[in-house]
Structure formats: structure tokens, C-alpha cells
Amino acid sequence: MIPFHGNQYPGQGGHYESWFVRANDPYRRRALWIRYTQFIAADGGRRLGEIWAVWFDGERQVAVKEEFPLAQCLVAADRLAVEIGGNRLEPGKLHGGASLNGHRIEWDLRYQGGQEPLLLLPEDRYRAGFPKAKSLVSRPAVRVSGVVRVDGDALQLEHWPGSENHNWGRRHTDQYAWGQVAAFDGRPDAFLECATARVWFGPVPTPWLSLAVLRLDGRTYAFNRIGQALRSRGRYRFFQWRLESRAGNHQLRVDIEAPREAFTALTYYNPPGGNKTCLNSKLARARVSLTRAGKEEVLLSEHGAAFEILTDRDDHGVPISV
């Protein structure tokens, strides 16, 4: 059984681990992303906790981050209980605040509901050495309520669709596009998690691998076996992505896109050394087509999709905010 919430740090070597909650306004182009992270460099240098928050409002983003010594961080091994510099995350609630470059975001939030955990990888991969980065949705399809203050302005959230998530690893995936839709327009029961990625073994990259899991009508459609991931067609660029996959007689096509102005650029430390840039939007448009038994069903989200690209490139044109 995978501990979906607890600390995965093996006690030695480099490691990153994040717990994050995201939510989208169901009516307007507004979204919130809050991340609690512990980071341990492989060379024993950086050992710290990070608090991240990004408020998305149309084409405006406010991004903040604060760092704390690892001694000021507490993470339970057997349950969701994270405290970083006094900022707390536990089942169904999170509280805290962070400042950067004259901006401040504070939050006092509760979330309820949700589905069973959704595994983006096949379950056996979470105990295997490959891939080195693991990701899952510990609580999909929650509804988030409470107060967020952005630069002093109080904003009320009422039952915004979102998710609670957990990822960790000894190094970041070398390149990826990641997407998630917590509620499609008119279909609040549907939930999508997907990724297209590749990693390097020394100087040699793997083929592109594309994985997806869709929950719809009370069923889980998994397109995530390694063989399927290799056969899938997933390609992305700044700032568009298409993924196509097949599992038995089920076919899936995902199109996700957002304008450059809907992204912020974040700097992620990499445990082996160096940094990665995460182009991060929570206001993307998603169109998902599922064909089953010869019948196609189309799901849309006009502005509720998460869309991230992890890259080493610097020609994306998005200013680095953190």
C-alpha cells in the first residue's frame, strides 16, 4: 500500500517532495496554487523547506515564495501533516502566508469531498527505481472554501473545484508537460491527470512517454502502462500540447493550451544540482475526447485546466517571477 500522504524521504541522498492544493473559480478566470515543499540537495548543501503560492487572475499572476531551514519543518511519515515555518497543511485544511518582491499572499482554507487517490503511474512503479520522480493525486475533486488575501485584498472562495496532490523524487523529470482538470464545464464528476515526459540516462534520452488517467461516470480509464506510454503520441511546445493514447477499445485525445500571458515562470531547485524552470498556468483550456465502444464523448474546460512545462530552455518569453 502506498502512503499517499506521508513523507517519502529515504533518509539519505538528494530529495524533493511537495504537497500542493490547487483550486479554480468555476465562473471566472481565477485560480490558486499553494505548495509546501521540502528540499535536500544531493551534495548536502541546501536543506530547506519552501512555501509557494501563486494567484492567477486573468492575465495577471502574483507569485510568492519563502524558504525556511529544514529544522523549522515537520512532516509526518504516516499521514498528511506538514508544517513549514509555521505554515500548516493537514487533511481538509491549510493555513499560512508568504511574501516576495513586495507581494504577499495569505490563506485560510478548508476543503471537503473528493474521490479515491488517483495514481498517474502504475502502482508498481511507485516502489521501483524508474521513474525517479513520482506523482499522484492524493485527493481528487475536492471543493475549496475560505479566504485568500492577495496584497491585502480579501477574496472569498466558495466551493471552488480543486485537488490535493503529492509528488517526490531524487531528481526532477528532465522534461515534461503536466496537466490536470479538476472539474470540466458541466461535468463536475470528471477528473483528468496527464503528462508527457522524457528523462536522460547519461547522454541518452528515453523516448517520449505519455500517460493519462481519466475519471468519468464513476469509472477510471487508465492509459498509463509503460507499453501504452511508449506507444502514445504526446507532443508539446510553448504553449500547446496534444496527447493521444489507446487502451483496449478506448481511445483518448487531450488538447491543452493557454496564452503566454496566462503563465508564470518558477525556479525549481534540482537535488542533483542546478535548476529547472517551471512554466505554470492554472487557467488553461482543455478539450478531452474519449471514445468507448465506438462512441465519442467530448469534455471541455474553458479556463480550469492546470498546465505546466518543465524546461531548461530560456527562450519561452515568460519572466521569471520566483
Side-chain angles (χ1 to χ4, degrees):
M1 176 69 68
I2 301 166
F4 297 110
H5 303 100
N7 191 348
Q8 300 295 312
Y9 179 46
Q12 60 184 358
H15 183 76
Y16 78 90
E17 188 160 7
S18 295
W19 297 260
F20 70 90
V21 173
R22 58 167 293 252
N24 281 78
D25 187 329
Y27 306 109
R28 295 172 53 187
R29 292 177 54 82
R30 302 191 302 177
L32 178 68
W33 175 82
I34 299 172
R35 189 173 90 148
Y36 297 66
T37 297
Q38 63 173 353
F39 177 86
I40 299 166
D43 64 5
R46 283 193 179 105
R47 297 174 61 86
L48 50 84
E50 304 170 326
I51 293 294
W52 303 72
V54 182
W55 173 257
F56 299 85
D57 190 347
E59 296 180 353
R60 170 180 175 260
Q61 296 85 40
V62 176
V64 297
K65 175 193 175 186
E66 289 192 17
E67 299 180 356
F68 301 88
L70 205 60
Q72 296 181 24
C73 306
L74 298 172
V75 181
D78 59 348
R79 65 192 187 281
L80 178 63
V82 182
E83 181 175 339
I84 297 177
N87 302 276
R88 295 182 179 87
L89 171 64
E90 54 191 287
K93 58 183 178 181
L94 59 160
H95 176 83
S99 301
L100 183 71
N101 297 329
H103 295 290
R104 181 163 180 82
I105 300 177
E106 299 175 324
W107 55 92
D108 186 8
L109 300 170
R110 302 289 186 273
Y111 54 96
Q112 60 188 6
Q115 304 171 354
E116 290 297 310
L118 184 151
L119 306 184
L120 181 60
L121 299 168
E123 186 165 351
D124 63 347
R125 291 291 95 196
Y126 288 90
R127 294 302 187 196
F130 177 83
K132 294 185 181 298
K134 321 293 186 184
S135 175
L136 56 84
V137 189
S138 48
R139 196 165 162 185
V142 299
R143 294 297 181 266
V144 181
S145 300
V147 177
V148 176
R149 290 180 173 84
V150 181
D151 293 337
D153 294 332
L155 305 157
Q156 188 73 39
L157 280 64
E158 295 185 5
H159 305 296
W160 286 19
S163 61
E164 171 200 284
N165 305 264
H166 186 191
N167 54 62
W168 67 93
R170 301 181 68 87
R171 64 180 297 146
H172 286 296
T173 302
D174 291 289
Q175 289 179 281
Y176 70 66
W178 169 82
Q180 185 188 92
V181 183
F184 289 87
D185 300 343
R187 294 299 305 269
D189 61 309
F191 191 99
L192 172 73
E193 176 98 348
C194 54
T196 292
R198 68 176 177 182
V199 299
W200 268 261
F201 290 97
V204 181
T206 66
W208 287 101
L209 301 162
S210 292
L211 309 95
V213 180
L214 175 66
R215 289 227 172 115
L216 181 65
D217 298 331
R219 293 185 58 184
T220 298
Y221 297 89
F223 301 81
N224 65 352
R225 306 304 301 180
I226 297 300
Q228 293 168 340
L230 286 166
R231 292 190 296 271
S232 297
R233 298 174 58 190
R235 291 292 182 269
Y236 65 88
R237 57 179 179 147
F238 308 139
F239 298 91
Q240 296 176 311
W241 175 23
R242 173 172 293 176
L243 184 159
E244 296 173 289
S245 188
R246 176 190 293 268
N249 63 349
H250 300 140
Q251 298 180 54
L252 181 74
R253 174 170 157 174
V254 178
D255 288 280
I256 300 179
E257 62 181 357
R260 187 188 313 270
E261 295 74 20
F263 286 82
T264 189
L266 310 175
T267 301
Y268 284 2
Y269 303 144
N270 203 12
N275 301 322
K276 295 284 187 178
T277 299
C278 178
L279 306 179
N280 187 321
S281 178
K282 298 297 179 281
L283 299 176
R285 182 183 190 274
R287 182 186 188 276
V288 176
S289 166
L290 176 69
T291 300
R292 43 187 174 172
K295 183 178 179 180
E296 180 186 34
E297 182 165 1
V298 175
L299 305 170
L300 294 173
S301 176
E302 286 296 334
H303 52 74
F307 183 12
E308 297 181 8
I309 294 173
L310 197 73
T311 183
D312 295 314
R313 291 169 53 180
D314 60 4
D315 59 342
H316 44 76
V318 181
I320 302 292
S321 57
V322 177

